[in-house]
Amino acid sequence: MVLLVWAAPRGPTGVGMSWPDGEVFTGRRIRRRELRIEPDDWHALIEADWLGTLVLLERGCVELHCRFGDVLLFREGAVLCFDGTGARALHNPGRITAVLAGYSRVRIGCGDGADAT
């Protein structure tokens, strides 16, 4: 099962925020990374790569293919979390490039071996 946190209505200007891939927001310690999937392309998901990441579908639509054969369709504005879902792959069934933006906390070393967030 995929956790659908929130889906915004589609508006004339679209949804989402655009920052360069990998940029850390000043003072917030949040990292953004972007995934683009061309029409009719597939992207294999490795769950460990997405742990603790909220994913905003900024443009297009994607099918999420899960471990037990479930296929779920998400449209622009959907917010997803892949933690513990058994997600295996994303497929873009649409005619435009799908753009997903992942937002996660940046881990900062404290010098004593511990991590702070």
Side-chain angles (χ1 to χ4, degrees):
M1 175 198 270
V2 170
L3 173 64
L4 175 61
V5 179
W6 174 78
R10 291 173 59 177
T13 59
V15 296
M17 303 175 285
S18 294
W19 281 282
D21 193 30
E23 180 175 330
V24 177
F25 305 138
T26 306
R28 293 187 186 2
R29 290 185 273 182
I30 297 174
R31 183 174 310 276
R32 178 189 190 273
R33 67 177 178 168
E34 189 172 279
L35 172 64
R36 293 175 175 268
I37 306 173
E38 297 298 322
D40 204 34
D41 251 358
W42 290 80
H43 178 79
L45 281 177
I46 299 170
E47 192 173 317
D49 292 346
W50 294 92
L51 286 177
T53 302
L54 285 177
V55 180
L56 171 63
L57 181 52
E58 289 186 338
R59 190 172 103 185
C61 62
V62 293
E63 292 174 341
L64 179 67
H65 292 256
C66 299
R67 179 180 331 149
F68 298 111
D70 294 328
V71 178
L72 304 167
L73 178 66
F74 294 96
R75 299 187 190 286
E76 185 174 301
V79 177
L80 308 166
C81 178
F82 301 130
D83 293 9
T85 63
R88 296 291 186 222
L90 291 168
H91 172 244
N92 179 357
R95 289 182 262 178
I96 64 171
T97 300
V99 179
L100 295 100
Y103 297 91
S104 58
R105 293 183 295 172
V106 174
R107 292 242 183 262
I108 299 172
C110 293
D112 61 0
D115 282 338
T117 57

